[in-house]
């Protein structure tokens, strides 16, 4: 067993989805049946399909925490030629702020709360607990790797990992997604316990539900994101029907709207979908439309 496979199995045993990388640090190319996405893509991809190819095709979308998959014959050839191990941050429940140079690292030390850090060839990975949409170029030399992305495994790092802060989740809101109208979405405040003084639920419970809901919305990059936003708002709203309030639902709604906008839904449609979802859940919420 080579060192990369051994390292991958150690991560998989901890529930971290892994995949082999080539010597050039990129994923292995798709097989002939999956080339150019002719297979239709995996269910968790931007173009969701039904592909169940057993090979490590489709990059991050093929990452697995199953030892049976990782050690399968279909993956053996890739491991024998692997130059590194990667993992899927979103699948592991974390977000990686990839700082690609010294200037980016210096900016992060000034602008972001300290968390677990991992040294890279040119900079650092700052790892936060929680998931969000991935985005490249949110600042010079700064990429966000979480949902729909992979990151090279460079060790466990140092420091205490903290919950994903608004200073990170707000970064992609100023990046225009491919195919979207070139106008920045309205920045929205993130939900915190401070705005939910009448909520019966713990912050962890609310954030976990919101993180899962945002992941569902951002998983519909080609179509259906607005409908998914409606469903997420309806479900989250139903959880707070018995709370005396306030629960800060307008801020929860704002984060759902931001997720939908990040995958190309026009903001007014995203706002309408979320407002309708809360209304159907039977909870009174101020509109998520910014003033």
């Amino acid at each position: 067993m080579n060192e990369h496979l051994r390292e991958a199995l150690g991560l998989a045993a901890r529930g971290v989805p892994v995949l082999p990388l080539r010597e050039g640090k990129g994923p292995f190319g798709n097989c002939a049946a999956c080339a150019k996405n002719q297979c239709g893509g995996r269910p968790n991809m931007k173009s969701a399909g039904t592909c169940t190819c057993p090979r490590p095709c489709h990059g991050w979308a093929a990452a697995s925490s199953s030892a049976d998959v990782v050690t399968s014959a279909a993956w053996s050839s890739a491991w024998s030629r692997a130059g590194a191990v990667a993992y899927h941050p979103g699948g592991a429940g974390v977000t990686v702020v990839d700082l690609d140079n010294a200037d980016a690292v210096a900016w992060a030390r000034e602008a972001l709360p300290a968390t677990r850090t991992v040294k890279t060839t040119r900079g650092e990975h700052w790892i936060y607990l929680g998931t969000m949409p991935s985005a490249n170029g949110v600042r010079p030399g700064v990429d966000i790797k979480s949902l729909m992305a992979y990151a090279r495994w460079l060790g466990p790092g140092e420091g205490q990992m903290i919950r994903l802060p608004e200073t990170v989740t707000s970064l992609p809101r100023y990046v225009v997604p491919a195919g979207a109208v070139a106008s920045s979405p309205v920045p929205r405040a993130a939900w915190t316990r401070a705005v939910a003084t009448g909520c019966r639920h713990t912050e962890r419970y609310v954030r976990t539900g919101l993180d899962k809901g945002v992941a569902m919305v951002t998983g519909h990059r080609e179509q259906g994101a607005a409908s998914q936003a409606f469903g997420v708002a309806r479900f989250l709203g139903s959880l707070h029907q018995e709370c005396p309030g306030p629960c800060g639902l307008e801020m929860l709604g704002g984060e759902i709207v931001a997720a939908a906008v990040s995958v190309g839904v026009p903001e007014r449609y995203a706002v309408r979908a979320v407002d309708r979802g809360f209304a159907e859940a039977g909870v009174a919420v101020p509109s998520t439309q910014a003033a």
Side-chain angles (χ1 to χ4, degrees):
M1 183 184 298
N2 67 39
E3 61 175 311
H4 297 310
L5 177 53
R6 186 179 298 107
E7 188 170 48
L9 284 172
L11 291 170
R14 290 152 49 192
V16 178
V18 294
L19 69 150
L21 295 183
R22 297 180 286 105
E23 288 289 349
K25 303 178 185 177
F28 283 86
N30 292 347
C31 69
C34 295
K36 298 182 180 179
N37 214 39
Q38 60 185 315
C39 61
R42 293 178 183 269
N44 54 337
M45 292 178 65
K46 177 179 179 180
S47 300
T50 58
C51 176
T52 56
C53 179
R55 300 175 179 84
C57 291
H58 307 292
W60 67 268
S64 176
S65 58
S66 165
D68 290 340
V69 171
V70 173
T71 59
S72 67
W75 284 44
S76 61
S77 175
W79 285 122
S80 68
R81 295 176 288 137
V85 178
Y87 69 105
H88 177 210
V94 300
T95 291
V96 176
V97 180
D98 184 6
L99 306 167
D100 204 33
N101 53 50
D103 288 342
V105 172
W107 165 80
R109 289 174 180 170
E110 290 289 332
L112 304 181
T115 188
R116 183 175 300 173
T117 61
V118 180
K119 298 293 185 182
T120 68
T121 306
R122 296 177 295 184
E124 295 179 357
H125 285 171
W126 286 34
I127 306 175
Y128 293 95
L129 183 63
T131 62
M132 62 179 288
S134 300
N136 291 327
V138 296
R139 284 185 55 87
V142 182
D143 297 329
I144 305 294
K145 298 183 176 184
S146 186
L147 304 170
M148 297 190 179
Y150 71 88
R152 192 157 59 105
W153 175 257
L154 295 167
E158 298 180 351
Q160 180 67 40
M161 191 185 312
I162 68 167
R163 165 64 63 177
L164 187 62
E166 183 183 359
T167 46
V168 174
T169 58
S170 64
L171 289 172
R173 299 178 192 178
Y174 302 95
V175 178
V176 179
V181 176
S183 58
S184 298
V186 176
R188 298 174 183 277
W191 184 92
T192 67
R193 186 69 192 178
V195 299
T197 55
C199 184
R200 297 169 55 243
H201 306 294
T202 65
E203 181 168 356
R204 181 177 180 180
Y205 178 88
V206 176
R207 288 281 354 162
T208 297
L210 179 62
D211 288 346
K212 290 181 179 179
V214 166
M216 293 169 69
V217 173
T218 56
H220 290 72
R221 289 183 171 264
E222 293 297 325
Q223 59 181 1
S227 296
Q228 189 66 65
F230 164 80
V232 170
R234 180 177 59 185
F235 174 73
L236 292 181
S238 69
L239 299 179
H240 295 269
Q241 287 179 329
E242 304 302 320
C243 294
C247 294
L249 294 185
E250 67 275 15
M251 290 187 177
L252 291 180
E255 294 198 48
I256 301 169
V257 168
V261 171
S262 77
V263 293
V265 177
E267 187 171 22
R268 65 182 181 278
Y269 295 144
V271 168
R272 185 185 309 164
V274 170
D275 285 350
R276 285 180 52 240
F278 282 139
E280 187 155 318
V283 291
V285 183
S287 173
T288 54
Q289 178 66 54

